[in-house]
Amino acid sequence: GRTVEYWLSAEEHPCAPDGYSRTCMTFNGTIPGPTIIANWGDNIKIHVTNNMVSNGTAIHWHGVHQRNTVLADGVPGVTQCPIAPGQSMTYEFRATQYGSSWYHSHFSLQYSEGLFGGMIFHGPATDNYDEDLGTLLLQDWSHIETFNRWNVAKLGRAPTLESSLINGTNTFNCAGSTDPKCIGGGKKFEMAFTPGTKYLLRLVNVAIDGVFQFSIDGHSLTVIGADFVPIRPYTTSSLQITIGQRYDVIVTALPSPSSPSYWLRGGWISRCAPNANIASITAIVRYNTSDTADPTTTSTVTPSTHCLDEPLASTIPHLPLDVTNIPPPNLLLENLNFTTASSFFQWTINSSSLVLDWKSPTMDHIFRNESLFPTPYNVVPIGRSSPDAPTEWAVLIIQDVGTINLAHPIHLHGHDFWVLAQATGRWDGTTNSFNTRNPTRRDVATLPGGGYLAMAFQLDNPGAWLVHCHIAWHASQGLSLEFVEDQGEIVGRVPEGERSQFERVCEGWRGHTPV
Ligand code: C2O
């Protein structure tokens, strides 16, 4: 197939995306970075150069399965060493799925500083829409560099965030402020609509800890995809979207609009991030592009009162999957909790936190054929019963046993998963409540606060893969588990050139002296 190529430069810049100045991390100078666009089946080559002063980095292509290309997954401490300042690395992988997503730094809190961009893989042509408006990236935004808030997060309180961005822009009200950093001059993101036209919008939540309820005043949304998975279209007035999730929606512009412009609302849900107090996350849809006034429309959407996912399970029999005859060969129960036993706050899974060794990532140990991993914590071997076994499944149940009643967006690398159960309270230890007829398939699902999430995935991709909470603070506080899938088959799938790049990047990082 075709090869598409991109060049990304990770940089640090002064910025004021909403009119409040601070320092950002960017790809090629902008937030978001350039959108990666490819066709289903394309080979994708992305050359990343780290032009930051002292930070290492590594870039993850969220939701991409990385079949036979585990070294391109971009997880420092697992699939690579961080790329040292001044050095480059080429990520090469295939678009084996289609739909919408994002790419982001997987190094500590860097994506919260601006190191992310949209990603679109065009699938089979459809006549569902007239125009593709591309990705709409929704996020909360901190006025203080998130690394400077790490000490607060470490003590267990999610820091209060001040603002929000849609596609990297918003306005923050500086009226009456004496803060010299509040310079004003931000703007709302705008889209122009022509009456009757059908637009495709690709919603992505790229937040630190915000959950959103997306809507456009006066318009309905026809949902055709969730994460990288096509679904049977259904129509709704709003969509709840947690961190890392995506929805492809078709919006038909009103044939005869009664207003020159309409508010598009990110709809931040306060209960899902109790300490946040962010400014309104809105953008503008204009029918009359010579009009510059703010819309005067109001929302008729009922604000969500829960932190759960869209109930797709009952509505998406697009590609029904009957998994009734599939026994759960690996029923893993992992208990999620938190501890303050060490000097700071950590999330735990089965009593330990994932600790990654950036100088000696898991793949390094796999190349050396070592059975001992750098981190004894939360590294779980899984795999098929034999290399030629037919489809086999892993079933992972994460039970929240903590006393903090907080929903967690759980993301799995290297696979989609089928949501067999997602409920509050304790799992009863049986598969009686599992939906095995036509469950939702995606790559991020919400673990309800105090509840459990049962995820099934096919053991079809040997590699080293994370499953983690996508709340940026929590991922950095160890709320993560690592699977080493079919360890004996991993090395044979890595092309020679990729292994030498892996070694080169690690040598660069080991030789790098922090400034
Ligand atoms: Cu979007 Cu492990 O990440």
Side-chain angles (χ1 to χ4, degrees):
R2 192 175 79 128
T3 294
V4 295
E5 240 172 323
Y6 283 88
W7 284 262
L8 298 177
S9 160
E11 302 165 2
E12 286 145 324
H13 291 291
C15 63
D18 59 347
Y20 190 95
S21 44
R22 46 161 285 175
T23 300
C24 293
M25 292 178 175
T26 70
F27 284 117
N28 302 3
T30 61
I31 297 179
T35 306
I36 306 286
I37 302 174
N39 292 333
W40 189 31
D42 281 351
N43 200 46
I44 303 172
K45 244 181 159 168
I46 302 162
H47 309 276
V48 176
T49 301
N50 181 359
N51 286 310
M52 297 189 288
V53 177
S54 61
N55 274 283
T57 198
I59 315 306
H60 174 60
W61 320 91
H62 182 110
V64 174
H65 288 163
Q66 301 294 2
R67 214 167 281 277
N68 299 322
T69 51
V70 64
L71 292 184
D73 202 40
V75 184
V78 177
T79 63
Q80 66 170 100
C81 295
I83 308 167
Q87 306 215 346
S88 302
M89 169 171 170
T90 298
Y91 291 88
E92 195 169 354
F93 55 89
R94 266 190 94 208
T96 56
Q97 304 137 272
Y98 59 88
S100 313
S101 195
W102 59 313
Y103 60 93
H104 61 83
S105 167
H106 215 289
F107 186 106
S108 186
L109 297 164
Q110 286 179 358
Y111 88 75
S112 310
E113 300 290 286
L115 275 184
F116 64 88
M119 191 162 64
I120 296 172
F121 298 158
H122 292 290
T126 66
D127 54 5
N128 283 341
Y129 59 89
D130 305 310
E131 199 180 320
D132 184 349
L133 293 178
T135 45
L136 206 61
L137 309 178
L138 312 171
Q139 68 180 120
D140 44 23
W141 180 247
S142 172
H143 279 174
I144 300 164
E145 292 73 15
T146 51
F147 293 106
N148 294 332
R149 292 187 138 164
W150 181 233
N151 284 337
V152 176
K154 269 205 312 202
L155 299 175
R157 287 172 287 139
T160 299
L161 304 180
E162 299 79 11
S163 192
S164 59
L165 306 175
I166 294 186
N167 279 356
T169 186
N170 202 349
T171 52
F172 185 78
N173 187 0
C174 287
S177 168
T178 52
D179 182 345
K181 291 181 167 176
C182 212
I183 55 175
K187 60 178 177 49
K188 295 281 182 195
F189 183 74
E190 299 196 359
M191 291 186 300
F193 272 22
T194 301
T197 305
K198 286 182 181 175
Y199 296 102
L200 173 62
L201 279 179
R202 303 162 176 279
L203 313 177
V204 190
N205 182 334
V206 303
I208 300 170
D209 67 6
V211 179
F212 302 112
Q213 184 186 14
F214 179 89
S215 63
I216 304 176
D217 292 354
H219 295 69
S220 56
L221 313 168
T222 300
V223 191
I224 61 166
D227 298 352
F228 271 139
V229 179
I231 62 173
R232 191 182 69 177
Y234 75 99
T235 299
T236 179
S237 58
S238 76
L239 265 174
Q240 183 152 332
I241 176 167
T242 192
I243 308 167
Q245 289 184 332
R246 292 89 69 200
Y247 285 106
D248 288 350
V249 302
I250 293 183
V251 182
T252 303
L254 304 173
S256 34
S258 55
S259 176
S261 61
Y262 292 79
W263 285 119
L264 174 156
R265 302 174 192 270
W268 173 66
I269 300 171
S270 64
R271 292 184 67 228
C272 305
N275 295 312
N277 179 30
I278 62 179
S280 92
I281 172 168
T282 50
I284 300 172
V285 168
R286 288 201 193 280
Y287 283 87
N288 175 355
T289 49
S290 54
D291 175 57
T292 53
D294 276 356
T296 53
T297 57
T298 51
S299 178
T300 53
V301 167
T302 310
S304 169
T305 54
H306 60 74
C307 300
L308 304 174
D309 292 333
E310 285 297 314
L312 296 178
S314 56
T315 59
I316 62 149
H318 180 73
L319 295 168
L321 178 86
D322 186 341
V323 293
T324 39
N325 56 351
I326 294 170
N330 308 285
L331 203 58
L332 307 163
L333 175 64
E334 303 291 338
N335 288 307
L336 182 151
N337 208 325
F338 58 91
T339 172
T340 46
S342 51
S343 58
F344 57 88
F345 187 95
Q346 279 184 305
W347 292 92
T348 61
I349 295 184
N350 278 0
S351 305
S352 55
S353 293
L354 185 69
V355 179
L356 297 170
D357 182 347
W358 291 338
K359 289 195 166 149
S360 190
T362 307
M363 281 304 297
D364 197 30
H365 295 260
I366 292 174
F367 281 133
R368 294 161 201 248
N369 200 19
E370 291 169 1
S371 54
L372 273 184
F373 294 111
T375 62
Y377 309 108
N378 292 349
V379 180
V380 181
I382 54 171
R384 285 163 296 152
S385 48
S386 86
D388 13 70
T391 311
E392 288 185 57
W393 297 74
V395 178
L396 169 67
I397 296 142
I398 304 182
Q399 172 77 58
D400 177 7
V401 295
T403 53
I404 297 182
N405 193 29
L406 195 64
H408 298 274
I410 304 294
H411 172 49
L412 174 64
H413 288 216
H415 313 72
D416 290 333
F417 56 87
W418 280 259
V419 182
L420 299 186
Q422 190 175 30
T424 52
R426 291 298 163 107
W427 176 49
D428 65 2
T430 75
T431 57
N432 295 343
S433 66
F434 286 8
N435 171 14
T436 51
R437 297 296 305 180
N438 188 26
T440 302
R441 172 165 62 98
R442 60 187 322 165
D443 60 54
V444 181
T446 299
L447 165 65
Y452 62 95
L453 174 69
M455 322 154 57
F457 57 96
Q458 288 177 321
L459 294 167
D460 56 3
N461 196 12
W465 311 112
L466 285 190
V467 53
H468 65 91
C469 175
H470 218 303
I471 292 175
W473 313 114
H474 295 182
S476 288
Q477 287 163 325
L479 220 187
S480 210
L481 193 75
E482 182 183 344
F483 287 123
V484 175
E485 178 177 346
D486 282 313
Q487 184 179 347
E489 290 178 55
I490 298 173
V491 178
R493 292 171 189 243
V494 174
E496 188 44 48
E498 283 184 31
R499 179 162 177 188
S500 43
Q501 170 170 260
F502 172 90
E503 304 291 353
R504 178 179 60 73
V505 170
C506 276
E507 274 161 37
W509 179 252
R510 289 176 192 133
H512 153 70
T513 348
V515 235

